[in-house]
Amino acid sequence: NAGVMQNPRHLVRRRGQEARLRCSPMKGHSHVYWYRQLPEEGLKFMVYLQKENIIDESGMPKERFSAEFPKEGPSILRIQQVVRGDSAAYFCASSPPIGTTGQGGYTFGSGTRLTVV
Amino acid sequence: GENVEQHPSTLSVQEGDSAVIKCTYSDSASNYFPWYKQELGKRPQLIIDIRSNVGEKKDQRIAVTLNKTAKHFSLHITETQPEDSAVYFCAAIIQGAQKLVFGQGTRLTINP
């Protein structure tokens, strides 16, 4: 089991460009979550998705940010027209349904470190 | 929604001593409480968790306690070692929901 795979590990974008962050969940996991971590800060929830559905996007900025988890392929977090304040580590996590026997926590990917210059 | 408060934000202890990190949560419907360890530049990793039907859980040098009445839970690390130095996050999830809400984190430093 390869775990949660995120790519790229590091991404540099100029202001105004688009950033695309990818996340492939663990095998057997159907739930994907995106978190943002600013330097020296905690993990802030952004969005929770299941296949083809956004379940909770209460942490997503209203503009420029979008997420999807298509039927086939990885989950994508898209940031349009990036600004310097978007520079952060973006972590993806996956889980089976909470309450599944023996499982309850998230497994995190290694993150994508976005730098906007 | 759920809100999780974590204290202290930084903690420094001598190697071999114990470390305790405390968290409180707001929603009494929360029923699952994991703890994550994050080393510098790395992913958060689950180190221990506890469900609301259990008051205490131990795994070698790490233990977690839960007080549902007071809505707080704590991480205890005994016989600390330099490799325990990291940022620790508590979290809570509401029964029936899927979203983990994290505390602000505690930077633990073990002094040799």
Side-chain angles (χ1 to χ4, degrees):
Chain A
N1 195 329
V4 179
M5 303 301 294
Q6 285 190 253
N7 66 81
R9 290 292 303 275
H10 300 275
L11 182 61
V12 179
R13 284 287 178 266
R14 296 187 183 278
R15 282 178 293 171
Q17 291 185 320
E18 179 179 281
R20 283 195 178 199
L21 288 61
R22 296 175 185 78
C23 170
S24 296
M26 280 184 68
K27 187 176 181 180
H29 285 190
S30 56
H31 301 251
V32 167
Y33 316 82
W34 287 93
Y35 283 79
R36 177 164 62 177
Q37 187 175 38
L38 295 170
E40 302 297 319
E41 294 192 10
L43 294 151
K44 300 298 185 185
F45 170 79
M46 299 182 73
V47 62
Y48 156 41
L49 310 102
Q50 296 179 23
K51 284 286 187 182
E52 300 184 279
N53 285 305
I54 296 175
I55 307 303
D56 183 342
E57 56 181 348
S58 58
M60 287 275 275
K62 292 292 186 283
E63 298 178 349
R64 302 189 297 108
F65 286 71
S66 63
E68 62 177 7
F69 189 14
K71 187 177 181 180
E72 301 292 336
S75 175
I76 305 288
L77 179 67
R78 183 181 293 109
I79 311 172
Q80 296 177 305
Q81 299 173 347
V82 296
V83 301
R84 288 220 170 110
D86 296 332
S87 295
Y90 292 83
F91 287 96
C92 168
S94 71
S95 78
I98 297 292
T100 303
T101 300
Q103 296 291 332
Y106 294 7
T107 300
F108 280 87
S110 296
T112 293
R113 280 146 187 86
L114 172 66
T115 302
V116 179
V117 297
Chain B
E2 175 64 282
N3 183 49
V4 178
E5 296 288 333
Q6 183 172 347
H7 300 281
S9 57
T10 60
L11 180 60
S12 182
V13 301
Q14 289 298 121
E15 183 177 353
D17 288 349
S18 296
V20 180
I21 301 170
K22 298 181 180 181
C23 289
T24 60
Y25 59 98
S26 60
D27 197 318
S28 57
S30 292
N31 68 337
Y32 175 70
F33 308 92
W35 286 87
Y36 285 82
K37 176 184 180 182
Q38 187 178 29
E39 297 177 355
L40 187 63
K42 296 191 177 180
R43 74 182 77 189
Q45 290 195 300
L46 179 69
I47 56 171
I48 196 168
D49 56 11
I50 191 167
R51 297 188 182 276
S52 58
N53 59 346
V54 175
E56 183 174 357
K57 184 177 178 180
K58 190 173 182 179
D59 182 5
Q60 299 183 357
R61 297 186 296 108
I62 295 173
V64 58
T65 58
L66 171 64
N67 183 327
K68 285 195 298 182
T69 302
K71 291 191 284 188
H72 66 69
F73 56 113
S74 301
L75 177 71
H76 304 253
I77 306 174
T78 58
E79 300 173 15
T80 53
Q81 301 168 5
E83 54 264 37
D84 294 330
S85 294
V87 179
Y88 291 81
F89 292 97
C90 62
I93 193 166
I94 298 172
Q95 183 176 4
Q98 290 278 137
K99 182 175 71 179
L100 269 179
V101 178
F102 285 87
Q104 299 88 340
T106 296
R107 181 174 298 281
L108 176 62
T109 302
I110 308 302
N111 301 310

